[in-house]
Amino acid sequence: MNTTLPFPHHDAPLSPVEALNRDCFCLTLDSDALALESETGLEVGQPGLAEMVRQRCPYLFAAQPVFVAQAQLERMAQVVQAVESVVALPAYREQALATAPDIARFDPGGARGVFFGYDFHLHQSRLALIEINTNAGGAMLNVLLAKAQRACCTAMDGMAPTLADVAHFVQRMVEMFRQEWLLSGHATPLSSIAIVDEAPEAQYLYPEFLLFQQLFERHGLRCVIASPAALAWRGGVLWHGELAIDLVYNRLTDFYLEQPASRALREAYLNHAVLLTPHPQAHALYADKRRLALFSDAAQLQALGVSQATEKVLLEHVPRTEVVEPGDEERLWSARRSLFFKPIAGYGSRGAYRGDKLTKRVWQDILAGGYIAQSIVLPGERLVDKLDPKTMKFDLRAFAYGGAVQWVAARIYQGQTTNFRTPGGGFSPVYTTVGAAGAASCGSAEGCNMQDAQAA
């Protein structure tokens, strides 16, 4: 194993996990198994999917894992629980919803919201919650990825997710949608689901919609993939063609159903004629980026009556965030190199800027309103090729439901934000390490040389 490769920006000795992310070049993704599982998998196989992924999104899956210590995964779960405990406070909900559109104050009928995504940076043991998404994508894609992992050396044993872990995650997915239905007070069984997004076939993650459709139908649920404009509100029922829709799995970025195309869905939701998950209230309570300013402010947390233990967890793991106000122009401009600016209503890294990359024109747009400034916490680092040693970045996404983490995945990328367009990048499985075990032996001739053998 080459232990002299560069790993920049470090001013402290590497931890065992960081050493693995630098020095382990084992290829754990079995591409043939991935293609086979994509096409014929018992739970999520979809004929033609493998070719669709190759053509439309060839950098969706990384060939190598990201290593994360078990203690860090446990801390991620603690952060998720801390957020959940604050959101449960009546005073917090009143404060958060006071600045949200009217539809966010509408009672969603008991639904919690499926597939929240808590996005973390992990750098030199510093774990930071940088964002919460309420319609996070990638869960089903990571099922495929986990099922196509092949340990290439004995040091990997016990680190990778097992097939039993994957099967449990898939089962929890289906149970989660049924639980949403029960929480909404329905006595009859859930029978139909619409996966809704704007122009779904044009979405980059459309392959995942097909996987979800297959999963639901194999569990006895009728499922369609539709744009909101394809839905009709008539006779007190939400329809897609001749199919009455019980539940909408919401992947829209029209978070408050404000666009004309969302009219039918909005009417059905406001009349409690369809279960919408995730829903507008969830976005206002969790994903509005102004919430990060509260989670990182000791005075606001104390004013809400947050417990000291919860406050400690949040202040240690949520980077200092503030809403950009015109009166703060001079101070924020002077500090911009240590800040990341994000639109309050943004998604998918759109309109987000590192402070050291700002132009005066963009700065004026930020000052016009609707932005937060967040202290920069660097992402993790991963070397993926010992023949061409370039450092790539990674972040971590914890999929959660009802305050419980269901799965953790990594995303490897280059550039300012995740983009799934970098050779060597994409979704990456998280391999869990308890301590230094495996750090010395991973990359032996049995392991890391596998990359050379496969390239030959």
Side-chain angles (χ1 to χ4, degrees):
M1 173 172 52
N2 185 346
T3 58
T4 61
L5 293 175
F7 212 53
H9 310 307
H10 277 272
D11 50 17
L14 295 182
S15 69
V17 169
E18 289 174 318
L20 282 169
N21 284 323
R22 180 192 66 180
D23 296 331
C24 179
F25 298 98
C26 296
L27 300 180
T28 61
L29 176 62
D30 185 329
S31 297
D32 291 338
L34 179 68
L36 183 63
E37 189 65 37
S38 300
E39 299 280 338
T40 64
L42 178 61
E43 286 283 7
V44 297
Q46 175 72 35
L49 187 75
E51 184 59 28
M52 179 185 293
V53 169
R54 277 193 291 267
Q55 292 183 1
R56 294 176 49 148
C57 33
Y59 306 123
L60 194 55
F61 300 111
Q64 291 154 312
V66 164
F67 297 93
V68 180
Q70 178 64 33
Q72 297 286 19
L73 297 179
E74 292 169 358
R75 287 168 63 195
M76 291 170 69
Q78 291 171 1
V79 174
V80 171
Q81 291 165 5
V83 168
E84 196 72 23
S85 69
V86 173
V87 173
L89 295 173
Y92 169 85
R93 299 173 76 87
E94 180 179 355
Q95 179 177 326
L97 296 178
T99 58
D102 289 345
I103 196 172
R105 292 188 285 277
F106 178 76
D107 180 5
R112 294 171 171 171
V114 297
F115 289 124
F116 286 11
Y118 288 74
D119 292 346
F120 292 86
H121 280 180
L122 176 59
H123 183 79
Q124 295 185 14
S125 78
R126 169 90 191 272
L127 181 71
L129 174 67
I130 61 167
E131 196 161 296
I132 303 173
N133 297 284
T134 49
N135 63 347
M140 189 61 75
L141 295 169
N142 278 282
V143 168
L144 281 184
L145 183 62
K147 291 182 118 180
Q149 295 299 299
R150 299 293 182 266
C152 60
C153 60
T154 55
M156 292 289 187
D157 291 344
M159 292 189 189
T162 66
L163 291 179
D165 294 332
V166 179
H168 182 59
F169 182 35
V170 171
Q171 185 60 37
R172 290 177 71 186
M173 286 186 195
V174 179
E175 291 173 354
M176 175 174 59
F177 283 90
R178 297 193 191 278
Q179 178 70 7
E180 288 284 87
W181 185 249
L182 292 174
L183 288 172
S184 297
H186 294 92
T188 58
L190 175 65
S191 63
S192 62
I193 294 178
I195 303 168
V196 176
D197 201 352
E198 185 66 35
E201 292 186 7
Q203 296 294 329
Y204 191 75
L205 294 186
Y206 177 64
E208 179 171 59
F209 297 169
L210 295 173
L211 291 172
F212 271 115
Q213 182 181 43
Q214 190 80 346
L215 176 67
F216 293 143
E217 292 188 343
R218 289 187 178 183
H219 283 263
L221 300 169
R222 293 283 304 279
C223 182
V224 295
I225 301 169
S227 70
L231 301 175
W233 165 244
R234 62 179 188 268
V237 176
L238 186 68
W239 298 88
H240 179 268
E242 297 304 313
L243 178 65
I245 302 300
D246 289 339
L247 181 152
V248 167
Y249 171 25
N250 181 16
R251 295 289 290 259
L252 289 167
T253 54
D254 178 15
F255 302 115
Y256 298 117
L257 307 181
E258 296 170 317
Q259 298 303 313
S262 300
R263 177 188 291 181
L265 179 55
R266 181 186 180 95
E267 288 299 316
Y269 175 63
L270 293 177
N271 283 277
H272 287 298
V274 72
L275 193 164
L276 178 66
T277 183
H279 45 70
Q281 188 173 106
H283 184 270
L285 292 173
Y286 293 87
D288 183 315
K289 293 181 180 59
R290 289 172 292 188
R291 306 291 84 85
L292 297 168
L294 186 151
F295 295 149
S296 63
D297 188 313
Q300 291 194 68
L301 292 172
Q302 291 164 14
L304 291 172
V306 173
S307 72
Q308 290 184 351
T310 296
E311 178 188 337
K312 183 175 186 293
V313 170
L314 291 174
L315 294 181
E316 286 181 355
H317 297 97
V318 181
R320 177 66 180 173
T321 305
E322 61 179 300
V323 178
V324 175
E325 303 286 356
D328 298 324
E329 175 180 359
E330 184 175 341
R331 176 178 60 84
L332 292 176
W333 178 257
S334 298
R336 69 189 184 280
R337 289 179 177 83
S338 65
L339 298 173
F340 205 97
F341 296 88
K342 302 177 181 179
I344 289 169
Y347 59 91
S349 301
R350 290 168 174 81
Y353 303 95
R354 277 184 62 113
D356 56 357
K357 307 292 185 183
L358 284 180
T359 65
K360 285 289 189 177
R361 183 193 63 78
V362 170
W363 179 237
Q364 292 306 310
D365 291 341
I366 291 172
L367 291 176
Y371 268 78
I372 56 102
Q374 185 179 73
S375 295
I376 291 176
V377 176
L378 295 176
E381 296 172 328
R382 183 71 166 101
L383 290 182
V384 299
D385 189 342
K386 66 180 178 181
L387 301 179
D388 180 20
K390 58 184 177 183
T391 302
M392 299 185 72
K393 305 170 186 177
F394 71 83
D395 67 3
L396 300 170
R397 168 164 287 182
F399 294 97
Y401 176 64
V405 173
Q406 300 166 304
W407 195 264
V408 178
R411 297 179 293 182
I412 297 176
Y413 63 100
Q414 282 187 315
Q416 181 170 287
T417 57
T418 54
N419 53 30
F420 295 104
R421 288 172 172 81
T422 306
F427 280 118
S428 171
V430 168
Y431 278 31
T432 307
T433 66
V434 175
S441 59
C442 181
S444 64
E446 181 185 0
C448 284
N449 287 342
M450 183 179 180
Q451 186 181 55
D452 299 332
Q454 292 191 10

